[in-house]
Amino acid sequence: MKASNIYHYCHIKVKSSQKIDTRILPYTDFTFVISGKLKYTVNGNEYELNSGDAIFATEGMEQSREALKEPAEYVSFNFSGDTFDFPVFSKGIITPAIKGLVDIYPAAHMYDTKGATFEKCLYMLNYILLELEDSYKAKGRIFSSVSKYVNCNITLPLSLSDVSDELGFTKEYVASAFKSECNKTVVQYINEQKMFLARNLIESGEMSLSGISDYLSYNNYNYFCRVFKKVFGTVPSRVSKNKGIE
């Protein structure tokens, strides 16, 4: 997977995005949003791009962009090369590594600075394509990665942000990929794993209920009880009394 030629590159901030009339692409257009919002239509399908989202429209596709009266920062590449197997729209796929890479390159457009700007843009694009390829491959491994991190840190306060930061992906990407694989949210999974441990601790009788709540980093005992009941259908005190789920 490699781009062989690049025709246009820009990394710009705009107060409002301009309309692009419908066209048949003579190249691949890869655009992603750093902040704000853009709206594209590709082959009749509308896509709203927010921070971290990307659109990948290949040669021969019909594409247009809607004018929006709101600010946006975005990056766009027009190029040709090997056949690419990326989806047209990807939510939250732009990793911190990609954002960091485009941040260190100062040009707004490919020819805004002197020197080997074309080569810099081409090398940058190919690195980003490899990073994206790794991200798409990693999508099938998200559950394994999330599960490992959560269970190794089960007693700590955990959130979607904690997990995504550890994995090196955006919150949107981790949330979408995990939900797609498991049909539940990351937060639901975290709470379930904490409650499974809580039940084991309750049944062992070695800790008080409030002690277990604190141990699992639930600062609010009533919230801990509500989560427990949502997972098991009964309150912790009943399990403590009966030494098991009825």
Side-chain angles (χ1 to χ4, degrees), residues 112-181:
D112 279 356
T113 62
K114 296 180 180 179
T117 323
F118 170 84
E119 286 81 2
K120 288 179 182 178
C121 288
L122 188 59
Y123 280 122
M124 179 169 62
L125 172 59
N126 277 313
Y127 180 90
I128 291 173
L129 293 176
L130 289 171
E131 182 76 14
L132 285 174
E133 186 176 23
D134 288 343
S135 296
Y136 284 113
K137 288 179 179 177
K139 186 175 181 179
R141 303 193 299 268
I142 285 292
F143 173 77
S144 176
S145 299
V146 171
S147 177
K148 181 179 179 181
Y149 177 71
V150 168
N151 285 288
C152 286
N153 299 275
I154 193 68
T155 62
L156 300 177
L158 293 174
S159 67
L160 173 60
S161 293
D162 297 323
V163 175
S164 58
D165 287 346
E166 174 66 21
L167 300 187
F169 297 114
T170 65
K171 292 189 297 183
E172 294 81 6
Y173 176 73
V174 172
S176 175
F178 191 86
K179 185 70 178 293
S180 177
E181 285 188 51

Side-chain angles (χ1 to χ4, degrees), residues 54-71:
I55 198 165
F56 207 95
T58 56
E59 181 180 353
M61 288 185 174
E62 186 180 82
Q63 183 199 62
S64 63
R65 188 174 74 191
E66 181 180 333
L68 295 178
K69 294 182 178 180
E70 57 183 277

